[in-house]
């Protein structure tokens, strides 16, 4: 009976040890799952942070490109306006100079004609006096 009791106690101890080993294995598996979830969360957070950085960099690049395009367009418009104004001023100056020269030439021609008429009148008066 004592041997049977000892065998039963040994079997109970073995069953308890097996249950403890199974509990330890379950705890280890739960810890592994927990750490795997933590690693997964960390990876997701890192990937999200990288995506946010990429989005911010792309947005900054887009803003810089838009600003550069706007500056280039403004510079081109200013240059075109300056060129148009300069051309307009040059045309006006040329027209004014041409008008002044034409008026001066007409006045000189009129003065020469008047002088010629006066000379002809003087010659006619001299011929009449002679």
């Amino acid at each position: 009976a004592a041997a049977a009791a000892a065998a039963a106690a040994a079997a109970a101890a073995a069953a308890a040890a097996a249950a403890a080993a199974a509990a330890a294995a379950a705890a280890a598996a739960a810890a592994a799952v927990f750490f795997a979830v933590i690693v997964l969360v960390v990876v997701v957070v890192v990937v999200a942070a990288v995506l946010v950085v990429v989005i911010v960099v792309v947005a900054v690049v887009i803003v810089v490109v838009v600003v550069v395009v706007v500056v280039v367009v403004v510079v081109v418009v200013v240059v075109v306006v300056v060129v148009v104004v300069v051309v307009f001023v040059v045309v006006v100056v040329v027209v004014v100079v041409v008008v002044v020269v034409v008026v001066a030439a007409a006045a000189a021609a009129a003065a020469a004609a008047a002088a010629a008429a006066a000379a002809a009148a003087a010659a006619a008066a001299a011929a009449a006096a002679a």
Side-chain angles (χ1 to χ4, degrees), residues 13-61:
V33 169
F34 178 71
F35 286 122
V37 168
I38 288 178
V39 168
L40 183 63
V41 168
V42 168
V43 167
V44 167
V45 168
V46 168
V47 168
V50 168
L51 286 179
V52 167
V53 168
V54 167
I55 289 171
V56 168
V57 167
V58 168
V60 168
V61 167

Side-chain angles (χ1 to χ4, degrees), residues 41-94:
V41 168
V42 168
V43 167
V44 167
V45 168
V46 168
V47 168
V50 168
L51 286 179
V52 167
V53 168
V54 167
I55 289 171
V56 168
V57 167
V58 168
V60 168
V61 167
I62 289 173
V63 167
V64 167
V65 167
V66 167
V67 167
V68 167
V69 167
V70 167
V71 167
V72 167
V73 167
V74 167
V75 167
V76 167
V77 167
V78 167
V79 167
V80 167
V81 167
V82 167
V83 167
V84 167
V85 168
V86 167
V87 167
F88 179 74
V89 168
V90 167
V91 167
V92 167
V93 168
V94 167

